[in-house]
Amino acid sequence: MTFCNRRDVGLLLLRLGTGGVLAAHGAQKLFGWFGGHGLEGTGQFMESVGYKPGKASATAAGLAEAGGGTLLALGLATPAAGAAAAGGMAGAAAVHAPNGFFNMEGGYEYAATLGLAATGLAITGPGRLSLDHALGHIFDRGWMVPTALAATGVLTAVVVGTRNRRVRRREEGEQAALFDEQELLLG
């Protein structure tokens, strides 16, 4: 029996790549690293796209991305790490969805790719080249996968649904104001 095989090396590379990108993305939000805006700037952006309160939303997204990404890269608590990162990316995809799929048009391609990779790792597991394996999978039990994904799915649906309703009400209010201005001009 060998220490590792192609599958283990492939999972390690996928974990390091996906986890590293997610960790850097979250560090932009939390600390302003890598050209990010930190909690203040990201919080203001989050408010502008309907996630309120903005700073708390930026903190939650940053922790899901940075924490989930770091844990994925290490292969530690893989079900929870993958689920957290996927939830953060679902929230980002909701913001970009009106722009279509492709990233070059401002779409949700990037967020969807990271979210699907994180979900795939949560389901597949980290492989033998991981801290989960070294620790006897105490944070990577079979029951943790559906539990983490279900809990994250419910929480994400509530947060994104609330955000979408808030954005829809704001857009309807802007349209109503536009019609009021037209009535004043015509009236």
Side-chain angles (χ1 to χ4, degrees), residues 7-31:
R7 180 182 179 274
D8 294 318
V9 173
L11 286 170
L12 173 65
L13 292 173
L14 185 59
R15 284 193 352 259
L16 290 174
T18 303
V21 169
L22 284 162
H25 201 65
Q28 288 179 309
K29 288 177 178 64
L30 294 173
F31 311 116

Side-chain angles (χ1 to χ4, degrees), residues 23-176:
H25 201 65
Q28 288 179 309
K29 288 177 178 64
L30 294 173
F31 311 116
W33 296 352
F34 312 114
H37 300 287
L39 284 176
E40 287 299 322
T42 304
Q44 291 171 4
F45 171 75
M46 296 291 253
E47 286 264 349
S48 77
V49 296
Y51 288 112
K52 294 183 181 190
K55 194 169 183 180
S57 297
T59 301
L63 288 173
E65 294 166 8
T70 299
L71 291 173
L72 278 176
L74 295 171
L76 181 61
T78 304
M89 291 297 98
V95 172
H96 294 281
N99 300 323
F101 178 71
F102 290 105
N103 191 49
M104 65 186 273
E105 301 294 327
Y108 63 93
E109 172 187 19
Y110 178 69
T113 301
L114 288 174
L116 288 169
T119 302
L121 287 166
I123 293 168
T124 304
R128 288 186 279 186
L129 300 173
S130 66
L131 288 179
D132 274 337
H133 182 74
L135 296 172
H137 295 279
I138 58 174
F139 302 113
D140 180 31
R141 304 278 186 217
W143 63 267
M144 293 175 181
V145 174
T147 302
L149 291 173
T152 300
V154 168
L155 182 60
T156 301
V158 168
V159 170
V160 170
T162 301
R163 177 252 174 208
N164 289 347
R165 283 189 298 282
R166 188 175 291 124
V167 168
R168 195 169 34 256
R169 281 195 308 267
R170 182 176 65 203
E171 288 172 354
E172 289 168 358
E174 289 172 3
Q175 289 174 352

